[in-house]
Amino acid sequence: MMPTHLPHPDRCPQSNPASLKRAMSTRHLVMLSLGGAIGTGLFLGSGEVIAQTGPIGAILAYLLGGLIAYMVMLCLGELAVHLPESGAFGSYAHRFIGPATGYMITWLYWLTWTATLGTEFTAAALLMQEWFPTVSVWIWTLIFAALVFVLNISSTLIFAESEFWLALVKVITVVSFIVLGLLAIFGWIPYQGTETAPLFNNLTAQGWFPQGIFPIFATMLIVNFAFSGTELIGVAAGESQDPAQQIPKAIHTAIWRLLIFFVGTILVISALLPYQQAGLKADGISNSSFVTVFSYLGIPHAEDVMRFVIITALLSAANSGLFAASRMMWSLSVRQQLPAIFSKLSQTGTPYIAIIVTLFGAIPGLLSEQFAPESIFKNLLGVAAFTMVVVWMSICLSQYNFRRQWYQQGHTQQELQFATPLFPLVPLLGFVCCLITCFSMAADPEMWVGFIGCLLFIAACYLNYFLLYRSQH
């Protein structure tokens, strides 16, 4: 199933005669990656990880999660520089694992974002209703969906610019949180309930690992999901101005900043709050660790500030998600695995049919408000995390197969414009770590529905491919 000859990027034009516009700069790629990763997983999920693992355990979990994400992104960087395509990992899996796996990965990534789009809109609408209780949730949902649709349909540049500013709100919030938290930790600004500098006494006040070692690994699915979105760099590669220069720089910049943001956040929360208080309670945002710390620092209207930031985070995720999912559908059409209408481009170079259909695919997620929202949200989170990790596994395996074929054809590592270091250790270790993370979902009985659903969807993709498209190859 593997190709016998590796295509060179100069000889790999997009098969669609009307190409997507190359309009993204390095700052757009970096912010797209940061914006995809900094979201409710950090603002709401980080406290939950601390509560389950303890402070030191949470720091180790996020460092391990960052290392896994970094290995995967290094593999993606080599592929994206050599073959900058908007089909990204779906196209790479198609070329270097097999057409059926490429088909499955493309649909899986489409499902990841489409399934969560509706929940992003619903969650943002529910938050708005706390400010405007007389306005229906459906009104806000339609407003947010229309806004994200307009940003995506306008042009690649307008999308990239909007995502830059939406992501910047989150970045400023996290940096402010870490800076103010550190000032309070060292006693340079007042903090409610303390007369002396808290320093880092809380980190080991209950012992190094108060819940034991196992929870560190049990929370890896949550942690890896927190880093998901970094792979958007690969999707955007086909629309970046200079992939060879921009992609490696964006990968290194994004991963190291994320590590600083995540670990810095964990340090501040753990130093200023007993770890048992870090988890979320029933009323969600008002019990977020960010709200508690900002309130104790004397920041006025802390809950309103965080509500605004989380709404921004949700819209940013939906914005990125619609972009990524529509490009997956576009790439399937280019490979003649969807009708040609899905690869039609507007005058500004956006795949408008794919964007419209993907947006309508988000409708089931909107039902989460009406039917068992907690159960649906948890399973959708599990589905999104599991499918993302499977996509990451495909990136590692694609890079491993690509490099082996590269060497077999007499090429050297020095000929690559960007090469994954420590080959084959990085792709193999990244693949194994992601595989272990997948099994951690099966260990949570509350996520069995989502886990089994994912396996059935993967099986259905393979079956559909072999029934309909095997004759193409």
Side-chain angles (χ1 to χ4, degrees):
M1 300 285 281
M2 291 185 188
T4 55
H5 179 72
L6 287 175
H8 189 276
D10 295 337
R11 295 191 290 275
C12 280
Q14 304 284 10
S15 37
N16 190 26
S19 296
L20 296 169
K21 305 291 185 185
R22 292 189 176 275
M24 293 199 196
S25 64
T26 303
R27 72 182 178 93
H28 292 138
L29 289 174
V30 171
M31 277 302 190
L32 182 64
S33 186
L34 291 177
I38 298 175
T40 50
L42 175 63
F43 295 126
L44 301 179
S46 56
E48 198 64 32
V49 174
I50 294 170
Q52 290 185 38
T53 65
I56 302 297
I59 291 169
L60 289 176
Y62 276 97
L63 285 173
L64 182 57
L67 178 62
I68 294 171
Y70 192 43
M71 289 189 292
V72 174
M73 292 312 112
L74 287 172
C75 292
L76 179 59
E78 180 174 313
L79 293 165
V81 168
H82 189 76
L83 294 167
E85 299 180 9
S86 290
F89 11 87
S91 297
Y92 306 144
H94 177 92
R95 293 178 189 272
F96 304 117
I97 302 175
T101 301
Y103 179 77
M104 181 273 292
I105 289 294
T106 305
W107 272 120
L108 202 63
Y109 198 64
W110 180 86
L111 174 71
T112 298
W113 285 112
T114 305
T116 54
L117 268 178
T119 59
E120 307 280 8
F121 293 141
T122 302
L126 287 169
L127 291 175
M128 289 298 294
Q129 198 177 44
E130 293 180 19
W131 275 329
F132 305 98
T134 58
V135 181
S136 168
V137 166
W138 281 98
I139 299 294
W140 290 116
T141 301
L142 291 173
I143 290 171
F144 291 144
L147 173 63
V148 169
F149 173 74
V150 169
L151 293 176
N152 266 268
I153 207 81
S154 302
S155 72
T156 299
L157 182 59
I158 288 176
F159 159 78
E161 204 62 39
S162 67
E163 187 56 28
F164 176 86
W165 292 105
L166 284 170
L168 190 62
V169 172
K170 296 185 283 188
V171 170
I172 290 172
T173 303
V174 174
V175 171
S176 302
F177 180 82
I178 292 171
V179 170
L180 291 172
L182 288 173
L183 291 175
I185 287 167
F186 291 107
W188 293 330
I189 60 174
Y191 185 74
Q192 181 179 318
T194 59
E195 294 180 3
T196 58
L199 299 177
F200 298 102
N201 299 323
N202 268 346
L203 294 185
T204 54
Q206 307 292 324
W208 282 75
F209 301 104
Q211 306 290 346
I213 296 290
F214 179 74
I216 296 174
F217 301 100
T219 57
M220 283 312 298
L221 195 68
I222 300 173
V223 172
N224 272 5
F225 184 65
F227 283 96
S228 68
T230 49
E231 76 290 329
L232 285 166
I233 290 174
V235 182
E239 294 168 77
S240 61
Q241 294 165 355
D242 184 1
Q245 292 293 321
Q246 293 171 344
I247 291 170
K249 185 176 180 182
I251 285 172
H252 291 301
T253 303
I255 290 291
W256 287 111
R257 286 183 185 175
L258 282 174
L259 266 180
I260 292 168
F261 291 163
F262 281 129
V263 174
T265 297
I266 299 294
L267 269 176
V268 168
I269 293 173
S270 301
L272 295 177
L273 296 176
Y275 84 93
Q276 298 93 332
Q277 293 181 21
L280 287 175
K281 307 298 186 297
D283 48 347
I285 288 166
S286 60
N287 276 292
S288 161
S289 302
F290 276 76
V291 173
T292 306
V293 171
F294 275 141
S295 298
Y296 287 179
L297 286 168
I299 305 295
H301 308 293
E303 193 174 331
D304 289 328
V305 169
M306 283 312 301
R307 188 178 290 121
F308 170 76
V309 170
I310 293 173
I311 289 171
T312 304
L314 291 165
L315 293 181
S316 171
N319 198 31
S320 301
L322 184 55
F323 169 82
S326 63
R327 268 49 177 188
M328 292 296 110
M329 194 169 266
W330 176 88
S331 71
L332 284 169
S333 179
V334 165
R335 291 204 299 265
Q336 299 179 336
Q337 291 170 348
L338 272 179
I341 191 171
F342 289 98
S343 55
K344 284 179 69 71
L345 300 180
S346 66
Q347 290 185 339
T348 55
T350 58
Y352 63 97
I353 300 295
I355 291 172
I356 292 168
V357 172
T358 299
L359 195 60
F360 276 102
I363 288 174
L366 300 176
L367 302 176
S368 60
E369 180 206 357
Q370 305 295 331
F371 305 101
E374 285 186 20
S375 176
I376 290 177
F377 263 106
K378 178 152 189 179
N379 274 286
L380 279 175
L381 173 68
V383 167
F386 179 85
T387 52
M388 197 72 73
V389 172
V390 173
V391 168
W392 283 14
M393 287 167 63
S394 79
I395 292 170
C396 294
L397 186 56
S398 295
Q399 188 274 332
Y400 178 77
N401 288 341
F402 163 75
R403 184 74 77 87
R404 284 179 62 219
Q405 293 174 47
W406 184 255
Y407 288 153
Q408 286 167 6
Q409 292 174 12
H411 297 293
T412 64
Q413 179 177 319
Q414 287 69 32
E415 292 178 62
L416 292 167
Q417 290 180 287
F418 177 77
T420 304
L422 301 177
F423 179 87
L425 180 64
V426 168
L428 290 177
L429 194 57
F431 183 90
V432 170
C433 288
C434 289
L435 184 62
I436 293 170
T437 302
C438 283
F439 286 126
S440 73
M441 183 179 180
D444 186 348
E446 291 185 24
M447 288 196 181
W448 280 355
V449 173
F451 181 70
I452 293 168
C454 287
L455 295 181
L456 290 174
F457 183 85
I458 289 171
C461 285
Y462 275 114
L463 181 64
N464 190 56
Y465 177 83
F466 284 114
L467 289 175
L468 297 180
Y469 301 113
R470 192 176 185 183
S471 60
Q472 290 182 0
H473 303 277

